[in-house]
Amino acid sequence: MALHLGRLSAGPCWRVARGGCGELREWSRRCPARRFCRPPGVASAEQTRGLGRGAMARGGSRLGTGLAMALAGLAGLGAAAFVHSERAEMVPKISGAQGPSPGRPEEEDELARRCSGFMASPVTDLRELQRRPGDTKTKMELLILETQAQVCRALAQVDGGASFSVDRWERKEGGGGISCVLQDGRVFEKAGVSISVVHGNLSEEAAKQMRSRGKMLKTKDGTRQWWFGGGCDLTPTYLNQEDAVHFHRTLKEACDRHSLDLYPKFKKWCDDYFFIAHRGERRGIGGIFFDDLDSPSKEEVFHFVQSCAQAVIPSYIPLVKKHCDDSFTPQEKLWQQLRRGRYVEFNLLYDRGTKFGLFTPGSRIESILMSLPLTARWEYMHSPSENSKEAEILEVLRHPRDWVH
């Protein structure tokens, strides 16, 4: 899994909270070769074994269900685009002398305590966050950092074996990020949860990505532009209707807290966005996707994004627990590899966040491509048998269903 919590944005002077989120895969246990850092609140492998034995106890790996999720909020002079989900907030770069008065000591202590639970220290200096506790940029950065830690903690607890490696990196053009990767675990072959907070100037190629969506990178009166975007979709190898209903119903409940009109709108948007045009099928069985949200107000849209972030764990983790000990056949393994190939095709050919990131100066390539699976497969003219389980999921990918009505 890769959790995209923001995307790079545009503008002559902007700042963005950004992250990357791709897919989760349940997989076999192997021995990690790198140094790992355990997320806050997660016991060691000796203390918490997790759910059942690793797949190697049966001599094979497990098939998995992929999740891609992205959240973003943008506010600033220019425009923005996130990853899997990659978006965040944009604000003009302002020196400390121009900022508002520092917060009260108790507020600063609370912020420091909150930051101590993150996977790493915030990208923005803590003192700057304390000076502007009410700014959308500050709130967005704290939201994606908190969500990152919560998701990493939940995944590590389910895996019960491997831990997340934590890579806190800096971007010389401005800002930085935190990339967390769990690999070769008992349950997950690979899980990635990344965030970034960056500022700087866009290349002309990246600016074109924004203009293609109707975004004006400069305003005549200097007015700041802000908007939010994000999404969460499920990419199972085989169809399980009960799982699909649970996933979509959880996301619908998050949307319904704000408006009954949101889920049907964003569900259709998701089906349309994650479409692999040259294959005539979707990447997965959908979820929600939204972009360029700038009404009714910044505060209201932020609360909606917050609700979506809080829905990720309850929508997905129960499915992992339910299926982490499922057995499979060589034929099912082959189909999984072919479906992973479709996932790769969409991410590299169509995903706006991937293209935007690759065109952005100083972008973190390893984080952008972190969502890609370790293995995938392409076969010439492969077609599933009629009335097979493979044909069943393919039919849903070609003709999306309503899972909650």
Side-chain angles (χ1 to χ4, degrees):
M1 169 188 179
L3 175 62
H4 297 280
L5 295 176
R7 266 185 195 151
L8 298 175
S9 303
C13 184
W14 47 264
R15 186 167 292 200
V16 178
R18 174 220 177 191
C21 181
E23 65 169 350
L24 290 169
R25 295 292 182 191
E26 298 163 355
W27 200 245
S28 64
R29 180 183 180 183
R30 297 190 189 95
C31 190
R34 296 192 303 272
R35 181 177 66 84
F36 291 94
C37 299
R38 195 168 301 280
V42 177
S44 67
E46 293 74 25
Q47 295 171 310
T48 304
R49 187 171 185 182
L51 298 172
R53 293 183 294 275
M56 294 305 290
R58 291 195 304 274
S61 306
R62 304 188 187 98
L63 295 177
T65 298
L67 171 74
M69 176 268 196
L71 294 177
L74 302 160
L77 272 169
F82 176 31
V83 95
H84 169 3
S85 264
E86 307 175 34
R87 298 185 171 77
E89 181 205 7
M90 299 191 310
V91 296
K93 207 177 176 184
I94 303 174
S95 65
Q98 294 174 303
S101 301
R104 295 191 300 272
E106 58 270 23
E107 293 176 341
E108 296 180 358
D109 291 343
E110 171 59 25
L111 181 57
R113 183 203 61 76
R114 184 179 177 188
C115 291
S116 68
F118 299 155
M119 299 302 289
S121 58
V123 177
T124 302
D125 187 86
L126 180 60
R127 291 168 296 183
E128 182 177 341
L129 297 176
Q130 291 172 333
R131 283 197 297 268
R132 303 180 180 88
D135 280 7
T136 302
K137 174 193 173 298
T138 296
K139 294 194 293 184
M140 192 67 196
E141 180 171 351
L142 294 176
L143 172 62
I144 63 175
L145 284 165
E146 191 167 59
T147 303
Q148 179 187 46
Q150 291 170 348
V151 172
C152 287
R153 184 181 302 120
L155 297 177
Q157 288 176 337
V158 170
D159 189 82
S163 300
F164 276 91
S165 62
V166 179
D167 179 20
R168 189 180 188 280
W169 50 271
E170 294 184 359
R171 178 175 176 267
K172 67 178 182 179
E173 291 82 0
I178 303 167
S179 298
C180 301
V181 179
L182 181 154
Q183 191 164 302
D184 300 320
R186 298 189 184 198
V187 174
F188 298 110
E189 178 187 65
K190 183 181 181 184
V193 188
S194 287
I195 69 97
S196 65
V197 182
V198 300
H199 59 268
N201 296 315
L202 289 179
S203 66
E204 180 58 31
E205 291 81 2
K208 287 180 181 178
Q209 294 292 320
M210 305 308 303
R211 296 192 189 104
S212 68
R213 295 162 51 207
K215 291 298 180 184
M216 299 298 295
L217 303 185
K218 293 182 180 180
T219 57
K220 295 181 180 180
D221 60 359
T223 302
R224 293 184 187 178
Q225 291 184 319
W226 64 267
W227 61 89
F228 291 80
C232 184
D233 76 309
L234 194 67
T235 57
T237 303
Y238 289 95
L239 179 64
N240 182 303
Q241 181 150 331
E242 186 178 88
D243 294 349
V245 170
H246 168 82
F247 183 77
H248 279 267
R249 183 169 290 163
T250 304
L251 297 181
K252 182 179 184 299
E253 289 172 355
C255 293
D256 287 353
R257 297 190 192 104
H258 302 270
S259 172
L260 297 180
D261 297 330
L262 296 180
Y263 171 77
K265 176 182 178 181
F266 296 154
K267 192 270 186 187
K268 182 180 185 306
W269 201 337
C270 185
D271 290 335
D272 293 341
Y273 178 76
F274 292 108
F275 182 64
I276 309 173
H278 63 278
R279 298 287 189 182
E281 61 193 49
R282 276 76 187 168
R283 182 174 82 173
I285 62 171
I288 59 172
F289 182 86
F290 53 92
D291 206 355
D292 303 344
L293 295 187
D294 56 5
S295 65
S297 71
K298 188 187 301 184
E299 192 68 21
E300 289 174 281
V301 181
F302 173 79
H303 287 310
F304 168 67
V305 170
Q306 191 174 40
S307 295
C308 292
Q310 294 169 349
V312 174
I313 292 174
S315 71
Y316 183 74
I317 292 299
L319 307 185
V320 179
K321 292 181 178 180
K322 177 181 176 181
H323 296 291
C324 65
D325 286 316
D326 288 356
S327 60
F328 64 91
T329 67
Q331 178 185 351
E332 291 169 337
K333 172 63 180 175
L334 171 64
W335 179 248
Q336 181 202 46
Q337 295 292 296
L338 293 171
R339 292 313 310 170
R340 285 184 173 188
R342 297 292 201 269
Y343 186 92
V344 171
E345 290 176 23
F346 175 84
N347 281 23
L348 296 183
L349 295 178
Y350 296 104
D351 186 65
R352 291 203 304 259
T354 300
K355 293 191 288 185
F356 186 87
L358 293 176
F359 287 138
T360 300
S363 58
R364 182 75 165 184
I365 302 301
E366 289 298 317
S367 296
I368 294 172
L369 301 179
M370 182 185 61
S371 66
L372 300 181
L374 293 183
T375 60
R377 186 182 180 97
W378 284 263
E379 286 193 4
Y380 183 71
M381 298 295 289
H382 183 278
S383 180
S385 302
E386 187 176 355
N387 298 322
S388 64
K389 293 189 301 179
E390 292 79 13
E392 179 186 34
I393 184 70
L394 198 55
E395 173 65 20
V396 173
L397 300 177
R398 290 171 176 169
H399 304 96
R401 295 182 186 175
D402 181 350
W403 299 105
V404 297
H405 295 102

